C-alpha cells in the first residue's frame, strides 16, 4: 500500500520520543505466532516462545500486543478480514461452486486446519475468543452467503423465504468436516457434486 503525503488536519504525528514500530519485526512476530500455534497450540503458547521464534526480545512483542490473547485475536481477525469474495457468476450453482472452490483452499491454510480448531476449544472457556471468532469468521461469511441468496432470489432461482444461514451451513459445513475435522482429501468431482447438492437443498425450500 502506498502512503500519500497529506495535509489533512486529522493526520496525527507520533509523539516526540515515541518508539517507531518496524514493520519487518511486526511481520516476523506474526509469522512466529502462526508457527507457535500450529506447533504447541494456544494453551501452551507463550510470549517468550513467540519472541524466541521471531528472533526478537519480549518487549518487541509487548510493544505491539498486551497479551498472547490480544495478539492471536488480532491475527485471526486480520486473516478472516480477507474473507470469502462475493461471487457473481450469474447462477446459483455457479456462485455456490465458486464459494466452495475458494473455501476449500482457505480451509487448507494452516490458520484454518491447525489454528482455528485449537482456538475453538479455547473459545468454549474464554468468551473473548468466542466473540472474536464469531465476529471475524462467521459474520463476514454470513454476509457473503446473504449476497448469494439475494442474487438468486432476484433471478427467480430461490424463493424470497430462502435462508442465508442455511445456505452458509450447507456450503461450508461439509468442507469443514472433511478438511479440518477428518483431514481427508477431496475426491475428484467432490466440489461439483457438493455444489449441486447445496443448490438442490436450497431450491427444495
Amino acid at each position: 500500500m502506498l502512503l500519500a503525503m497529506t495535509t489533512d488536519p486529522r493526520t496525527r504525528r507520533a509523539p516526540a520520543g515515541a518508539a517507531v514500530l518496524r514493520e519487518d519485526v511486526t511481520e516476523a512476530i506474526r509469522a512466529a505466532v502462526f508457527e507457535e500455534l500450529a506447533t504447541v497450540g494456544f494453551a501452551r503458547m507463550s510470549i517468550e516462545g513467540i519472541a524466541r521464534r521471531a528472533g526478537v526480545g519480549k518487549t518487541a512483542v509487548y510493544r505491539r500486543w498486551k497479551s498472547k490473547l490480544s495478539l492471536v485475536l488480532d491475527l485471526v481477525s486480520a486473516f478472516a478480514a480477507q474473507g470469502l469474495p462475493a461471487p457473481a457468476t450469474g447462477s446459483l450453482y455457479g456462485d455456490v461452486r465458486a464459494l466452495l472452490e475458494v473455501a476449500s483452499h482457505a480451509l487448507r491454510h494452516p490458520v484454518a486446519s491447525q489454528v482455528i480448531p485449537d482456538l475453538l476449544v479455547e473459545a468454549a472457556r474464554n468468551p473473548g475468543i468466542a466473540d472474536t471468532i464469531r465476529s471475524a469468521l462467521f459474520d463476514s461469511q454470513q454476509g457473503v452467503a446473504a449476497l448469494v441468496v439475494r442474487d438468486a432470489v432476484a433471478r427467480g432461482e430461490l424463493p424470497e423465504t430462502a435462508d442465508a444461514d442455511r445456505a452458509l451451513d450447507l456450503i461450508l459445513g461439509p468442507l469443514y468436516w472433511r478438511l479440518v475435522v477428518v483431514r481427508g482429501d477431496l475426491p475428484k468431482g467432490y466440489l461439483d457434486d457438493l455444489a449441486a447438492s447445496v443448490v438442490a437443498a436450497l431450491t427444495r425450500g
Side-chain angles (χ1 to χ4, degrees):
M1 180 181 296
L2 297 178
L3 299 178
M5 295 181 62
T6 177
T7 56
D8 190 330
R10 293 171 299 178
T11 301
R12 296 180 179 178
R13 293 184 177 181
V20 177
L21 301 180
R22 290 171 47 188
E23 186 61 27
D24 60 329
V25 173
T26 302
E27 289 304 315
I29 294 172
R30 286 172 174 151
V33 172
F34 287 135
E35 293 174 8
E36 281 288 289
L37 281 170
T39 302
V40 303
F42 178 82
R44 294 174 56 196
M45 187 181 73
S46 66
I47 295 295
E48 290 81 359
I50 293 169
R52 183 168 53 252
R53 190 181 290 272
V56 300
K58 288 191 298 182
T59 55
V61 181
Y62 283 119
R63 284 195 192 105
R64 293 160 173 81
W65 298 276
K66 63 182 180 180
S67 67
K68 73 173 185 177
L69 176 58
S70 62
L71 170 51
V72 169
L73 294 183
D74 179 53
L75 294 188
V76 170
S77 297
F79 176 78
Q82 301 171 20
L84 294 176
T89 66
S91 73
L92 177 58
Y93 174 85
D95 287 353
V96 170
R97 180 61 177 79
L99 283 180
L100 287 172
E101 185 70 35
V102 174
S104 68
H105 287 291
L107 288 174
R108 291 185 179 98
H109 191 283
V111 173
S113 64
Q114 295 175 285
V115 174
I116 290 178
D118 188 57
L119 289 180
L120 290 176
V121 173
E122 294 298 325
R125 299 188 288 262
N126 190 314
I129 295 179
D131 291 344
T132 299
I133 288 178
R134 177 178 177 81
S135 63
L137 300 182
F138 176 73
D139 293 351
S140 61
Q141 294 168 0
Q142 185 185 41
V144 173
L147 289 175
V148 169
V149 169
R150 183 200 65 187
D151 291 346
V153 169
R155 291 190 298 263
E157 295 178 280
L158 290 177
E160 293 185 0
T161 55
D163 188 347
D165 287 347
R166 181 166 177 248
L168 185 61
D169 291 345
L170 291 169
I171 292 169
L172 294 183
L175 278 181
Y176 187 88
W177 172 261
R178 180 175 287 271
L179 294 177
V180 180
V181 179
V182 178
R183 296 180 181 271
D185 295 327
L186 298 182
K188 184 178 181 180
Y190 177 84
L191 295 182
D192 295 332
D193 293 341
L194 181 56
S197 297
V198 170
V199 171
L202 291 174
T203 53
R204 280 200 302 266

